Amino acid sequence: MHLEMPLVIGLMVAAIVLAIAAKRARLPYNVALVVGGLVISIGHLLPGVPPLNPELVFLVCLPALLFEGGITADLSGIRANAVPILLLSTLGMVLVIGATGTALHFTVDLPVWPALLLGALLSVTDTVSILYAFRRAPVPPRLSGVIQGESLFNDGTALVAYAAIASVVAGAAAPSLATMSARVLLASVGGGVVGLALGLLGGFVIRRIEDPLAEIMVTTAVALASFVVAEQLHLSGAISAVVAGLAVGDTLRREVAPQSQVAIHTFWEYATFGVNTFLFLAVGLTTKPETLSGYLPETLLAVASVFAGRAVGVYIPFLLLRWLRPTESMPFRWQHVFVLGNIKGALSIGLALGLPAATPGREKLVAIAFGVTLVSLVGQGLMLTQVLKWLGLFQQDAVALTMAEQRGRLIASRAAHQELEVLHEQGLLPRAAYDHLRSEYQVNIARAERELRRLNEQHLTQGARDLISMRRRLIDAERTALQGARRNGLIPEATAEHMLAQLDARTLSLEKVLHGEAGDAGHGRKAS
């Protein structure tokens, strides 16, 4: 795919503007990027943008996103919720594909196998949107952990089923249910084995490298290799990339120095932000409103079919859990989130665009896939927070809100007090007015400080959390000062590196305390 540099710069500028606008408007940035891309496409503001390349999605974007999801995932949380995550990402996904395909067959007038193919590509969850939403939503930790874990692993099942069904649509003999189930199981387990092997190998190499940049290169190689090797062996590259990320992430937390951990996580945070930005913007840019309007009734029916299929693939597995392992099940109210929060994304569009030209009804399949993805990203993306509140799962901390309000009053009053002093020094206020306003703001400041002190004394956990947050900001200030001193030659390179490593160790220690993790962040072979 050839891109001219002005076009690349234009896309980057558009992404930056949309990301800033989303933050100001308090919108999910993925929704802003999709809608912004659609507006750019309709207005022909960036002519010459090529269509989304499926190979780029599969070979670069998908491995990076899945590996980053694994490397930053809470492994202990996945282990604790392994049963529901495994059931939802295997049996649940098979039920989703079957139920969605059946509904599509009867509602949008598609033959059985093309309907199942469309059901498979629309059963894929947009992992990015799920992780982005639930890392920031104050929902119960177990609910968030199961949703994030399932979103990481369900792509593997869906992609294997998609490949098997696509071969049938292309003219191969239809496999039996037992054969297809065995193929999905083999691909999933085999992909996990490949990912674990490469992840352990990558961890072994990282433990013996003294350079954070080289360690970043190792993680990049593992991310891409785990996906490609598994796909070459006709196994699940998606599950391989996730398991490799989990293995490398476990090694980083247990045996790698804080400085390397910070460097690696910072790199992957930036890399995935860039990939996410490209994908969401590309979805909007690639969507053609005139094509969607021609299949609007079918798209709306397909949206209903997707919700119905997802409901079958969620409620039935949880019903089985309630019968067989009651302790592993979840409240019925929580289960609704798995249906209503199941957002589709760029991978579904990539799968649709990757269909061979000879696929029966390809134009209709692609148009419906685009329409459902657009409705899901924008509609569900915007409504997810409201859904969580409606279900009573959006847990607002009343103490934190009260402390934030008092902190805001303190900040505002101090700023006004400082401005008052400036006005007085410049002779712009009479003495009487100055004394009156100064007394008023001093009372406001004292009242806010007194209330914050009372809240901290009564709610020690929240007070400790705020203290940790302040310490992190102070460490960031120390890091900025040290980096400036190193650039200006005020301290030697070796001294700066040593002191920055100590700051990284303190940062990780605070992060672990904040998230309730045990252990010392400075533990590791290279810790200072």
Side-chain angles (χ1 to χ4, degrees), residues 294-360:
Y295 291 94
L296 184 58
E298 291 88 346
T299 297
L300 296 178
L301 290 171
V303 169
S305 299
V306 168
F307 274 107
R310 179 66 177 174
V312 170
V314 168
Y315 296 129
I316 290 180
F318 275 120
L319 182 62
L320 292 176
L321 274 181
R322 180 166 296 179
W323 288 343
L324 302 176
R325 304 264 314 255
T327 57
E328 298 286 352
S329 189
M330 284 188 166
F332 192 61
R333 185 162 49 100
W334 291 18
Q335 298 173 28
H336 302 327
V337 181
F338 290 85
V339 178
L340 300 175
N342 187 248
I343 303 173
K344 310 305 171 188
L347 182 54
S348 292
I349 289 181
L351 290 171
L353 292 176
L355 292 173
T359 303

Side-chain angles (χ1 to χ4, degrees), residues 7 202 215 301 305 471 526:
L7 182 59
E215 293 167 342
L301 290 171
S305 299
R471 285 187 181 276
K526 292 183 276 185

Side-chain angles (χ1 to χ4, degrees), residues 144-491:
S144 177
V146 174
I147 286 179
Q148 293 182 36
E150 189 247 351
S151 70
L152 285 173
F153 286 99
N154 65 11
D155 287 350
T157 307
L159 290 174
V160 173
Y162 167 84
I165 297 171
S167 65
V168 176
V169 174
S176 64
L177 179 61
T179 302
M180 186 172 291
S181 300
R183 188 181 300 178
V184 171
L185 180 62
L186 175 63
S188 301
V189 174
V193 171
V194 171
L196 180 62
L198 290 176
L200 293 176
L201 177 61
F204 175 81
V205 174
I206 289 173
R207 288 197 300 269
R208 284 154 180 79
I209 298 178
E210 299 294 332
D211 183 6
L213 293 179
E215 293 167 342
I216 290 173
M217 185 66 72
V218 171
T219 62
T220 306
V222 171
L224 298 176
S226 60
F227 188 89
V228 173
V229 170
E231 288 294 319
Q232 290 295 318
L233 297 174
H234 302 290
L235 302 173
S236 174
I239 290 180
S240 178
V242 171
V243 173
L246 290 171
V248 172
D250 186 56
T251 299
L252 292 180
R253 283 184 286 272
R254 290 189 297 106
E255 303 184 51
V256 175
Q259 189 176 13
S260 294
Q261 292 187 48
V262 171
I264 292 171
H265 285 299
T266 300
F267 165 78
W268 279 104
E269 184 177 6
Y270 170 74
T272 52
F273 175 77
V275 171
N276 295 340
T277 300
F278 161 75
L279 286 177
F280 290 126
L281 193 58
V283 169
L285 289 168
T286 311
T287 303
K288 303 301 180 186
E290 59 273 14
T291 303
L292 297 182
S293 61
Y295 291 94
L296 184 58
E298 291 88 346
T299 297
L300 296 178
L301 290 171
V303 169
S305 299
V306 168
F307 274 107
R310 179 66 177 174
V312 170
V314 168
Y315 296 129
I316 290 180
F318 275 120
L319 182 62
L320 292 176
L321 274 181
R322 180 166 296 179
W323 288 343
L324 302 176
R325 304 264 314 255
T327 57
E328 298 286 352
S329 189
M330 284 188 166
F332 192 61
R333 185 162 49 100
W334 291 18
Q335 298 173 28
H336 302 327
V337 181
F338 290 85
V339 178
L340 300 175
N342 187 248
I343 303 173
K344 310 305 171 188
L347 182 54
S348 292
I349 289 181
L351 290 171
L353 292 176
L355 292 173
T359 303
R362 184 182 185 277
E363 180 185 350
K364 185 176 183 179
L365 296 177
V366 172
I368 292 176
F370 267 80
V372 172
T373 301
L374 185 64
V375 170
S376 178
L377 269 173
V378 177
Q380 290 177 266
L382 289 175
M383 293 298 297
L384 183 55
T385 299
Q386 291 300 323
V387 168
L388 294 173
K389 290 180 178 179
W390 174 60
L391 294 173
L393 298 174
F394 201 87
Q395 299 177 339
Q396 293 282 9
D397 192 329
V399 176
L401 290 176
T402 303
M403 294 184 73
E405 181 181 351
Q406 293 300 328
R407 194 177 296 114
R409 290 179 178 175
L410 180 60
I411 292 171
S413 297
R414 282 179 172 170
H417 186 269
Q418 291 175 0
E419 182 66 18
L420 180 65
E421 295 296 333
V422 172
L423 294 174
H424 176 62
E425 290 174 1
Q426 294 175 349
L428 299 177
L429 274 179
R431 182 70 190 185
Y434 166 74
D435 289 340
H436 174 75
L437 291 173
R438 182 170 177 268
S439 174
E440 180 180 323
Y441 279 111
Q442 284 179 335
V443 169
N444 291 341
I445 291 171
R447 184 184 297 118
E449 288 178 337
R450 184 170 60 251
E451 186 64 18
L452 282 171
R453 186 163 54 250
R454 182 187 68 81
L455 290 170
N456 277 316
E457 291 173 353
Q458 292 183 356
H459 305 278
L460 297 179
T461 301
Q462 184 62 43
R465 189 178 294 115
D466 288 344
L467 180 60
I468 290 173
S469 178
M470 294 301 108
R471 285 187 181 276
R472 288 164 64 188
R473 290 192 60 175
L474 294 175
I475 289 174
D476 288 340
E478 291 184 52
R479 181 180 290 108
T480 301
L482 285 173
Q483 290 171 340
R486 178 176 60 181
R487 285 194 302 269
N488 296 326
L490 299 178
I491 57 176

